[in-house]
Amino acid sequence: MKLMVISGRSGSGKSIALRVLEDLGYYCVDNLPVNLLPTLTHTVVDEYDQVAVSIDVRNLPKDPEELAEILNYLPDSWDMTVVYLDASDDVLIKRFSETRRLHPLSRQNISLSEAIVAETTLLAPIIERADLYLDTTELSVHQLAELVRERILGKKSSRLVIVFESFGFKYGISKEADYVFDARFLPNPHWEPDLKHQTGLDPEVQNFLGAQPIVTKFIWQIQNLITTWLPHLERNNRSYVTIAIGCTGGQHRSVYVAETLCANIRSSHPDVQIRHRDLNHALPEKR
């Protein structure tokens, strides 16, 4: 039986995530007081095998340590995954300004920016328990819905899911990453006129990078690290591990390396996913 705990700061997209899960067959409960969570799991155990619950600052216990006790009290038969959604402070402020909704902590006579910062402190116990962190800063409603389906429902077994993500350092480092590798020192296809406006998904770029010994060695060493420590990560009861590969713009090198690693690892570990965060950005004139 699966229990999905959806949490995160207000405005990060929890309602959207919960709606996606409901559409895909989960029994969903929004804004349930945390101390009622054990009662809920015991009540629905005979009727539902997939349950999703939203937890935020509105329904946290007063004592932060009580949250850990409640989660530990849940039945062992439930396969629990804690998903934490978040976005940058500026984006959260913008979203509240656009919707003109009150922040849950606004009743404490503090500003919106202060409420957003305070919320981070209150949710710290959940952040520590999170199995999956989703950064929604640059995601539209439709992109977030697709990401939830991909990351949460794409899990095919109880084994650890490996997520490879390419990104461009010029757009900010990946916030979801457990491990980050910098590919900016590798030969850059951008400086090849015929490859400049292509991406790491195009055969010409793949042939160019695949012929570079330093690229091959870089990929091999990352792959060796992953396969060496993967059993230890799985024994630590983790659900996901995100490995991010970054280059300057997230168009060529990081995309190729992530794609190659994904293909190589998938042969021995089927639960592998890939995401190219910045592939849709316009190719810059200078990298």
Side-chain angles (χ1 to χ4, degrees):
M1 299 179 184
K2 294 183 179 180
L3 172 64
M4 200 74 65
V5 177
I6 305 296
S7 188
R9 293 197 290 179
S10 303
S12 61
K14 298 187 300 299
S15 297
I16 296 171
L18 207 62
R19 188 160 59 243
V20 170
L21 292 172
E22 185 173 28
D23 291 342
L24 292 167
Y26 275 71
Y27 176 76
C28 297
V29 181
D30 189 15
N31 198 22
L32 178 78
V34 177
N35 57 2
L36 294 180
L37 187 56
T39 302
L40 173 69
T41 56
H42 284 87
T43 301
V44 303
V45 65
D46 295 327
E47 298 183 49
Y48 304 97
D49 59 1
Q50 296 186 126
V51 177
V53 178
S54 175
I55 295 178
D56 57 30
V57 291
R58 296 172 297 174
N59 45 29
L60 287 176
K62 293 182 179 180
D63 184 356
E65 295 184 1
E66 189 177 342
L67 174 62
E69 295 176 0
I70 292 172
L71 295 179
N72 292 333
Y73 182 69
L74 298 178
D76 293 335
S77 58
W78 285 88
D79 178 16
M80 182 176 66
T81 300
V82 179
V83 182
Y84 189 86
L85 287 75
D86 203 4
S88 67
D89 292 359
D90 292 342
V91 168
L92 292 178
I93 291 174
K94 180 181 178 182
R95 290 174 182 174
F96 272 100
S97 300
E98 290 175 346
T99 60
R100 299 191 177 185
R101 297 184 62 187
L102 284 175
H103 190 279
L105 299 180
S106 295
R107 296 182 180 86
Q108 299 181 7
N109 294 322
I110 58 177
S111 67
L112 176 57
S113 59
E114 290 173 329
I116 288 173
V117 173
E119 191 175 19
T120 303
T121 303
L122 293 173
L123 291 173
I126 296 183
I127 298 175
E128 294 175 359
R129 292 290 297 262
D131 299 295
L132 178 61
Y133 176 96
L134 298 180
D135 180 18
T136 70
T137 299
E138 298 185 5
L139 300 180
S140 67
V141 171
H142 300 293
Q143 290 172 327
L144 174 56
E146 182 60 31
L147 185 60
V148 170
R149 294 188 190 96
E150 174 187 321
R151 295 294 175 89
I152 298 177
L153 301 178
K155 189 174 173 65
K156 299 180 179 66
S157 73
S158 60
R159 293 198 302 182
L160 177 77
V161 172
I162 303 175
V163 180
F164 289 102
E165 180 183 57
S166 70
F167 71 95
F169 278 98
K170 68 178 297 180
Y171 302 112
I173 197 169
S174 172
K175 295 182 179 180
E176 299 175 22
D178 296 294
Y179 301 95
V180 177
F181 295 93
D182 188 348
R184 287 176 291 186
F185 69 94
L186 300 178
N188 193 347
H190 174 80
W191 302 117
E192 301 293 326
D194 295 336
L195 305 179
K196 178 177 180 179
H197 298 292
Q198 297 187 39
T199 74
L201 298 178
D202 293 309
E204 292 84 357
V205 174
Q206 293 174 352
N207 291 337
F208 172 82
L209 290 171
Q212 308 290 333
I214 191 173
V215 176
T216 303
K217 184 175 182 180
F218 182 63
I219 293 172
W220 178 84
Q221 289 187 330
I222 297 176
Q223 183 176 329
N224 185 54
L225 183 146
I226 295 169
T227 54
T228 298
W229 296 108
L230 182 58
H232 299 277
L233 292 169
E234 289 183 317
R235 283 197 291 270
N236 196 38
N237 295 321
R238 296 188 59 160
S239 297
Y240 287 79
V241 60
T242 300
I243 300 166
I245 314 296
C247 61
T248 307
Q251 303 290 327
H252 297 113
R253 295 164 290 182
S254 61
V255 173
Y256 172 76
V257 171
E259 284 283 339
T260 305
L261 285 168
C262 183
N264 293 347
I265 295 294
R266 183 173 280 131
S267 61
S268 59
H269 192 89
D271 286 334
V272 178
Q273 300 175 9
I274 190 163
R275 179 192 179 202
H276 301 301
R277 193 193 73 180
D278 298 321
L279 194 58
N280 292 328
H281 281 106
L283 283 170
E285 294 183 359
K286 184 177 180 180
R287 294 177 63 182

